[in-house]
Amino acid sequence: MTVQVWRRTSRLLGVGLVSSLGCVASVWAAGTPLAPPAVYPAGTWQGKGTAVVRVLDRLDAHVEVLSVPVGGEAKHYKNLDILARRCLQRPPTRAPDAAAWLEIQDTHPGGAAFKGWMLAAEPGLGVLESSVYDVRMVRCEGDDMAPFLPPLAKPVAPPPLPESAPVQDGAGVGAASPTPPGLVAPSAPPRPAAPDNANPFQPDSDGAY
Protein backbone atom coordinates (compact mmCIF):
# COMPACT_ATOMS: atom_id res chain seq x y z
CA MET A 1 0.00 0.00 0.00
CA THR A 2 2.83 2.36 0.90
CA VAL A 3 4.57 1.60 -2.42
CA GLN A 4 1.41 2.45 -4.40
CA VAL A 5 0.98 5.76 -2.55
CA TRP A 6 4.62 6.62 -3.19
CA ARG A 7 4.31 5.83 -6.90
CA ARG A 8 1.20 7.95 -7.27
CA THR A 9 2.83 10.82 -5.35
CA SER A 10 5.87 10.68 -7.63
CA ARG A 11 3.64 10.67 -10.72
CA LEU A 12 1.69 13.74 -9.54
CA LEU A 13 4.89 15.60 -8.69
CA GLY A 14 6.32 14.76 -12.13
CA VAL A 15 3.19 16.01 -13.91
CA GLY A 16 3.29 19.25 -11.90
CA LEU A 17 6.97 19.79 -12.71
CA VAL A 18 6.40 19.22 -16.45
CA SER A 19 3.45 21.63 -16.44
CA SER A 20 5.51 24.30 -14.67
CA LEU A 21 8.38 23.93 -17.14
CA GLY A 22 5.91 24.14 -20.04
CA CYS A 23 4.46 27.38 -18.68
CA VAL A 24 7.94 28.88 -18.25
CA ALA A 25 8.89 27.87 -21.81
CA SER A 26 5.68 29.37 -23.20
CA VAL A 27 6.30 32.66 -21.43
CA TRP A 28 9.90 32.76 -22.65
CA ALA A 29 8.85 31.96 -26.24
CA ALA A 30 6.09 34.57 -26.18
CA GLY A 31 8.42 37.28 -24.91
CA THR A 32 11.40 36.51 -27.20
CA PRO A 33 10.96 37.59 -30.85
CA LEU A 34 12.34 35.14 -33.40
CA ALA A 35 13.74 35.86 -36.85
CA PRO A 36 11.65 34.62 -39.81
CA PRO A 37 13.07 31.75 -41.90
CA ALA A 38 15.47 32.60 -44.71
CA VAL A 39 13.57 32.34 -48.03
CA TYR A 40 14.56 33.30 -51.56
CA PRO A 41 12.27 35.72 -53.44
CA ALA A 42 9.54 34.17 -55.58
CA GLY A 43 11.26 34.99 -58.89
CA THR A 44 14.59 33.31 -58.03
CA TRP A 45 15.73 30.38 -60.21
CA GLN A 46 18.94 28.33 -60.51
CA GLY A 47 20.27 27.37 -63.93
CA LYS A 48 21.17 23.73 -64.57
CA GLY A 49 23.07 21.95 -67.33
CA THR A 50 20.59 19.17 -68.23
CA ALA A 51 16.86 19.07 -68.89
CA VAL A 52 15.04 15.80 -68.17
CA VAL A 53 11.88 15.23 -70.23
CA ARG A 54 9.42 12.34 -70.51
CA VAL A 55 8.15 11.28 -73.92
CA LEU A 56 5.05 9.14 -74.44
CA ASP A 57 4.50 7.40 -77.79
CA ARG A 58 0.74 7.05 -78.05
CA LEU A 59 1.00 4.40 -80.79
CA ASP A 60 2.67 1.75 -78.62
CA ALA A 61 2.20 3.34 -75.14
CA HIS A 62 5.97 3.39 -74.63
CA VAL A 63 7.40 5.95 -72.20
CA GLU A 64 10.98 7.15 -72.45
CA VAL A 65 12.82 9.53 -70.10
CA LEU A 66 15.46 11.57 -71.92
CA SER A 67 18.29 13.75 -70.59
CA VAL A 68 18.88 16.66 -72.96
CA PRO A 69 22.06 18.72 -72.41
CA VAL A 70 21.48 22.48 -72.35
CA GLY A 71 23.08 24.21 -75.34
CA GLY A 72 24.23 20.91 -76.84
CA GLU A 73 23.09 18.87 -79.81
CA ALA A 74 19.48 17.82 -80.23
CA LYS A 75 18.35 14.60 -78.62
CA HIS A 76 16.77 12.14 -81.09
CA TYR A 77 13.96 9.80 -80.09
CA LYS A 78 12.16 7.98 -82.92
CA ASN A 79 10.86 10.86 -85.06
CA LEU A 80 11.44 13.58 -82.45
CA ASP A 81 14.31 16.05 -82.25
CA ILE A 82 14.50 17.77 -78.84
CA LEU A 83 16.82 20.71 -78.23
CA ALA A 84 17.20 22.38 -74.81
CA ARG A 85 18.26 26.03 -74.64
CA ARG A 86 17.86 26.62 -70.88
CA CYS A 87 16.82 24.72 -67.79
CA LEU A 88 15.88 26.44 -64.52
CA GLN A 89 14.83 25.06 -61.17
CA ARG A 90 13.47 26.60 -57.99
CA PRO A 91 15.79 27.05 -54.98
CA PRO A 92 15.36 24.73 -51.99
CA THR A 93 13.42 27.32 -49.97
CA ARG A 94 10.63 27.57 -52.58
CA ALA A 95 8.02 25.09 -53.80
CA PRO A 96 9.74 22.58 -56.13
CA ASP A 97 9.39 23.35 -59.83
CA ALA A 98 11.48 23.23 -63.01
CA ALA A 99 11.22 24.99 -66.36
CA ALA A 100 13.03 24.40 -69.65
CA TRP A 101 13.11 26.28 -72.95
CA LEU A 102 12.72 23.49 -75.51
CA GLU A 103 12.64 23.30 -79.28
CA ILE A 104 10.89 20.13 -80.43
CA GLN A 105 10.30 18.97 -83.99
CA ASP A 106 8.39 15.93 -85.21
CA THR A 107 10.15 14.88 -88.44
CA HIS A 108 7.06 13.15 -89.82
CA PRO A 109 5.68 14.94 -92.92
CA GLY A 110 3.54 17.74 -91.52
CA GLY A 111 4.68 16.87 -87.99
CA ALA A 112 4.07 19.15 -85.04
CA ALA A 113 6.63 21.58 -83.68
CA PHE A 114 7.07 23.36 -80.37
CA LYS A 115 9.28 26.21 -79.22
CA GLY A 116 8.91 27.71 -75.75
CA TRP A 117 8.91 27.05 -72.01
CA MET A 118 7.67 23.84 -70.42
CA LEU A 119 7.06 23.76 -66.66
CA ALA A 120 7.08 20.62 -64.54
CA ALA A 121 4.40 21.91 -62.13
CA GLU A 122 2.19 23.33 -64.93
CA PRO A 123 2.29 20.84 -67.82
CA GLY A 124 -0.71 22.48 -69.51
CA LEU A 125 1.11 25.76 -70.19
CA GLY A 126 3.55 24.40 -72.81
CA VAL A 127 2.19 21.53 -74.94
CA LEU A 128 3.43 19.84 -78.10
CA GLU A 129 0.34 19.67 -80.33
CA SER A 130 1.03 16.19 -81.66
CA SER A 131 -1.31 13.24 -82.12
CA VAL A 132 1.59 10.78 -81.73
CA TYR A 133 3.89 12.11 -79.00
CA ASP A 134 3.34 13.67 -75.62
CA VAL A 135 6.33 15.50 -74.11
CA ARG A 136 6.44 16.58 -70.46
CA MET A 137 9.07 18.44 -68.48
CA VAL A 138 10.30 16.42 -65.46
CA ARG A 139 13.22 18.19 -63.75
CA CYS A 140 16.59 19.86 -64.16
CA GLU A 141 19.85 18.25 -63.16
CA GLY A 142 23.58 18.46 -63.81
CA ASP A 143 26.02 21.26 -63.04
CA ASP A 144 24.97 24.75 -62.01
CA MET A 145 24.84 27.33 -64.77
CA ALA A 146 23.79 30.96 -65.05
CA PRO A 147 21.65 32.33 -63.51
CA PHE A 148 23.20 31.54 -60.15
CA LEU A 149 21.48 31.85 -56.81
CA PRO A 150 22.38 35.07 -54.97
CA PRO A 151 23.58 34.86 -51.36
CA LEU A 152 20.69 34.09 -49.07
CA ALA A 153 20.24 37.03 -46.70
CA LYS A 154 19.97 36.21 -43.03
CA PRO A 155 16.73 37.64 -41.58
CA VAL A 156 16.93 39.89 -38.54
CA ALA A 157 14.78 39.29 -35.50
CA PRO A 158 12.20 42.03 -34.86
CA PRO A 159 12.67 44.26 -31.81
CA PRO A 160 11.11 43.00 -28.58
CA LEU A 161 7.62 44.13 -27.73
CA PRO A 162 7.27 46.97 -25.19
CA GLU A 163 6.53 45.91 -21.66
CA SER A 164 2.95 46.28 -20.50
CA ALA A 165 1.99 48.93 -17.95
CA PRO A 166 1.85 47.78 -14.30
CA VAL A 167 -1.52 46.72 -13.01
CA GLN A 168 -2.97 48.99 -10.33
CA ASP A 169 -5.89 48.57 -7.93
CA GLY A 170 -6.43 45.00 -9.04
CA ALA A 171 -7.40 46.08 -12.60
CA GLY A 172 -6.21 44.19 -15.67
CA VAL A 173 -6.02 40.56 -16.65
CA GLY A 174 -7.14 38.20 -13.97
CA ALA A 175 -9.05 40.80 -11.94
CA ALA A 176 -12.56 39.83 -10.95
CA SER A 177 -15.25 41.75 -12.77
CA PRO A 178 -17.59 43.70 -10.46
CA THR A 179 -21.12 42.42 -9.96
CA PRO A 180 -23.71 44.64 -11.70
CA PRO A 181 -26.02 46.52 -9.32
CA GLY A 182 -29.21 44.69 -8.50
CA LEU A 183 -27.69 41.24 -8.98
CA VAL A 184 -26.41 38.90 -6.31
CA ALA A 185 -23.54 36.60 -7.18
CA PRO A 186 -24.47 32.98 -6.41
CA SER A 187 -22.41 31.39 -3.70
CA ALA A 188 -20.73 28.06 -4.25
CA PRO A 189 -22.37 25.16 -2.38
CA PRO A 190 -20.32 23.94 0.59
CA ARG A 191 -18.30 20.82 -0.01
CA PRO A 192 -18.79 17.96 2.44
CA ALA A 193 -15.94 17.39 4.83
CA ALA A 194 -13.77 14.41 3.98
CA PRO A 195 -13.66 11.58 6.54
CA ASP A 196 -10.52 11.09 8.58
CA ASN A 197 -9.60 7.89 6.74
CA ALA A 198 -10.07 9.40 3.25
CA ASN A 199 -7.35 8.73 0.67
CA PRO A 200 -5.72 12.13 -0.26
CA PHE A 201 -4.98 10.84 -3.79
CA GLN A 202 -8.52 9.68 -4.50
CA PRO A 203 -10.60 12.27 -6.45
CA ASP A 204 -13.85 13.55 -5.03
CA SER A 205 -17.22 12.77 -6.54
CA ASP A 206 -16.97 15.89 -8.76
CA GLY A 207 -13.59 14.80 -10.14
CA ALA A 208 -11.48 17.36 -8.21
CA TYR A 209 -8.56 16.40 -5.99
Side-chain angles (χ1 to χ4, degrees):
M1 184 65 180
T2 305
V3 175
Q4 294 180 354
V5 172
W6 170 253
R7 288 179 179 176
R8 188 153 188 181
T9 305
S10 302
R11 189 181 304 112
L12 292 176
L13 292 176
V15 172
L17 180 60
V18 171
S19 301
S20 302
L21 292 177
C23 293
V24 173
S26 301
V27 172
W28 181 84
T32 304
L34 300 177
V39 179
Y40 282 103
T44 306
W45 296 80
Q46 169 64 62
K48 287 291 185 178
T50 304
V52 180
V53 297
R54 183 181 64 220
V55 182
L56 167 65
D57 188 342
R58 294 188 177 95
L59 298 181
D60 56 6
H62 179 72
V63 177
E64 188 77 15
V65 178
L66 305 176
S67 296
V68 185
V70 174
E73 298 182 355
K75 193 79 172 183
H76 302 283
Y77 173 74
K78 295 186 178 182
N79 289 88
L80 282 182
D81 292 339
I82 304 176
L83 186 65
R85 295 298 185 184
R86 298 189 73 181
C87 195
L88 306 175
Q89 73 175 10
R90 285 268 182 86
T93 59
R94 309 298 304 185
D97 195 5
W101 180 274
L102 302 176
E103 298 179 9
I104 307 173
Q105 179 64 55
D106 186 353
T107 58
H108 282 111
F114 174 82
K115 184 177 181 180
W117 289 100
M118 283 190 177
L119 279 75
E122 298 289 343
L125 296 181
V127 179
L128 174 66
E129 302 291 345
S130 173
S131 59
V132 180
Y133 300 106
D134 179 74
V135 181
R136 299 289 180 93
M137 177 62 190
V138 179
R139 65 181 179 273
C140 297
E141 61 184 18
D143 298 333
D144 293 344
M145 301 179 61
F148 296 97
L149 293 177
L152 187 59
K154 184 178 180 180
V156 180
L161 298 176
E163 296 183 358
S164 58
V167 180
Q168 298 179 358
D169 299 333
V173 179
S177 57
T179 304
L183 297 180
V184 178
S187 58
R191 297 177 58 180
D196 296 337
N197 59 348
N199 187 355
F201 302 101
Q202 181 70 25
D204 297 336
S205 59
D206 56 356
Y209 280 91

